Amino acid sequence: MADHLFAVGSFTESYATFRAAGEGISLIRLHADGRLDIADRLEGLPNPSYLKPIGGDRLLATLEVDDARNGIATIAVADGRLRLVDRRPTPGRVLCHLDTDAGGRWLAGACYGSGHVFACALGADGLSGEMPSTVRHEGRSIH
């Protein structure tokens, strides 16, 4: 059995009632014998909490903050190393979820801090162009 790599995102700073203790995005190696160790770490991104793989060597990370640093980071994973490729702002506050269509051509995101949802095109390396479709939803009760 070969070693496997997987990425884990963590809050790096506190906001609202969330208390942070993480160090960014960690690339973890699971050895054939069950041992775990950190292969690499990418620091400097605020609260890269939700990770979405796209393609074989890229992943997207939500930057889940309640200010202008809210956004999406595109990360390359190659040779057991993490590298920041791109960082883009997104509409709304507290970006919390990302998903792609079945063909991997479109990305959708949701911000629970402001109710914004958005969609944008994906290219070979990550986000492609601007956020072409953005809608803000508002609730009126807990339901």
Side-chain angles (χ1 to χ4, degrees):
M1 176 180 188
D3 292 353
H4 293 281
L5 292 172
F6 62 94
V8 176
S10 61
F11 279 14
T12 58
E13 57 190 61
S14 300
Y15 76 92
T17 60
F18 299 101
R19 300 294 169 240
E23 297 182 35
I25 300 173
S26 298
L27 190 62
I28 309 296
R29 183 179 314 279
L30 171 61
H31 295 274
D33 64 4
R35 288 179 301 115
L36 295 171
D37 61 35
I38 296 174
D40 196 24
R41 182 171 285 137
L42 181 62
E43 298 176 346
L45 296 171
N47 295 349
S49 56
Y50 186 87
L51 306 179
K52 175 67 180 171
I54 57 167
D57 64 347
R58 296 277 193 267
L59 62 92
L60 299 175
T62 63
L63 305 180
E64 190 173 336
V65 291
D66 195 19
D67 60 27
R69 297 170 301 145
N70 194 62
I72 299 173
T74 303
I75 313 297
V77 183
D79 301 320
R81 305 287 299 177
L82 297 169
R83 180 179 56 85
L84 179 64
V85 174
D86 188 26
R87 181 175 171 177
R88 304 260 183 105
T90 56
R93 293 183 352 265
V94 193
L95 175 61
C96 62
H97 186 72
L98 300 171
D99 205 355
T100 58
D101 71 313
R105 294 178 42 224
W106 292 94
L107 175 75
C111 300
Y112 73 81
S114 62
H116 285 85
V117 294
F118 61 85
C120 62
L122 286 173
D125 290 332
L127 300 181
S128 178
E130 299 299 316
M131 304 294 166
S133 180
T134 302
V135 176
R136 183 172 185 195
H137 294 276
E138 287 188 39
R140 301 210 190 281
S141 75
I142 60 171
H143 303 291

